[in-house]
Amino acid sequence: DAFVFPGGKVDSQDHGLPDPFPLAAETERGLRSSASVNASTARALANAAIRETYEETGLLLARPAEFRARAGGTWQEFERRGLAPDHAALRMIGRAITPSSSPVRYHARFLVADAASAVGELRANDELLDLDWYPLEQALALPAIDVTKILLEEARQIALAQSPPRPARRAFIRYRGHAPIIQYERN
């Protein structure tokens, strides 16, 4: 009963894929802001974001390029269409670590891309309801958890500040009890 971003975890198929459109330096730095994340894991995180977006929305963040999927599943759809994941379109706006009281803990990274970078048509699935494009002002008024609202506001600030959007900072959200604490990391 809350609006969320598409997403999920890194799967084994997200590692070791060809990378014709590399991550922007500031996006890679943001993904590597945790000590346990190296360049290869940063690319896998980007791949997971692109794959999950396709699986949950039908949109491919991709461009035409030679691409060979080493594993089956979703990546074969990219290959079939002659498209490669477009890491260069991704911008990291934040990360969040769930409260220690949560039964399941996550260290989530949040990335944005210009809608013009998406290929395909929005389609509903079994995971997400009310799937649609929402203007940021309208999205901010929808029922959502605090992390989603904080990061929508970050996206709004980026959209208002410049074009093409290149965030100058990333929100880092953690919790003290159930209260979110926001720090900002510079790109």
Side-chain angles (χ1 to χ4, degrees):
D1 294 329
F3 283 79
V4 298
F5 297 113
K9 68 180 184 121
V10 174
D11 288 344
S12 61
Q13 64 177 316
D14 298 328
H15 292 275
L17 293 172
D19 187 16
F21 308 112
L23 288 165
E26 71 269 8
T27 302
E28 183 176 336
R29 272 193 305 278
L31 289 169
R32 294 182 67 179
S33 57
S34 173
S36 63
V37 177
N38 60 26
S40 175
T41 302
R43 284 190 300 279
L45 287 163
N47 284 330
I50 292 169
R51 178 185 50 73
E52 289 281 350
T53 296
Y54 173 66
E55 290 174 359
E56 295 182 2
T57 70
L59 299 174
L60 295 109
L61 186 58
R63 288 193 264 168
E66 179 76 22
F67 178 74
R68 297 284 177 245
R70 294 188 184 116
T74 299
W75 295 114
Q76 286 183 325
E77 182 63 19
F78 283 72
E79 181 179 340
R80 186 184 72 71
R81 293 187 185 199
L83 299 171
D86 189 2
H87 295 153
L90 295 171
R91 299 290 173 257
M92 186 169 170
I93 60 170
R95 61 192 180 105
I97 298 175
T98 52
S100 58
S101 60
S102 292
V104 179
R105 301 287 312 274
Y106 297 103
H107 184 168
R109 282 80 172 178
F110 296 86
L111 300 136
V112 296
D114 189 302
S117 301
V119 175
E121 292 190 28
L122 202 58
R123 63 166 165 71
N125 67 14
D126 294 338
E127 289 186 53
L128 301 177
L129 306 173
D130 295 329
L131 187 63
D132 206 348
W133 292 101
Y134 294 92
L136 283 169
E137 295 299 330
Q138 184 182 349
L140 282 162
L142 295 170
I145 63 169
D146 51 13
V147 168
T148 302
K149 288 199 177 273
I150 291 165
L151 292 163
L152 281 171
E153 181 58 37
E154 289 299 308
R156 189 176 80 79
Q157 292 301 321
I158 292 164
L160 291 173
Q162 52 187 295
S163 182
R166 293 199 177 275
R169 67 183 192 182
R170 295 176 304 275
F172 174 38
I173 305 157
R174 2 181 226 120
Y175 288 82
R176 182 166 295 130
H178 291 286
I181 300 187
I182 308 166
Q183 295 175 304
Y184 290 96
E185 303 168 328
R186 292 276 163 213
N187 279 330

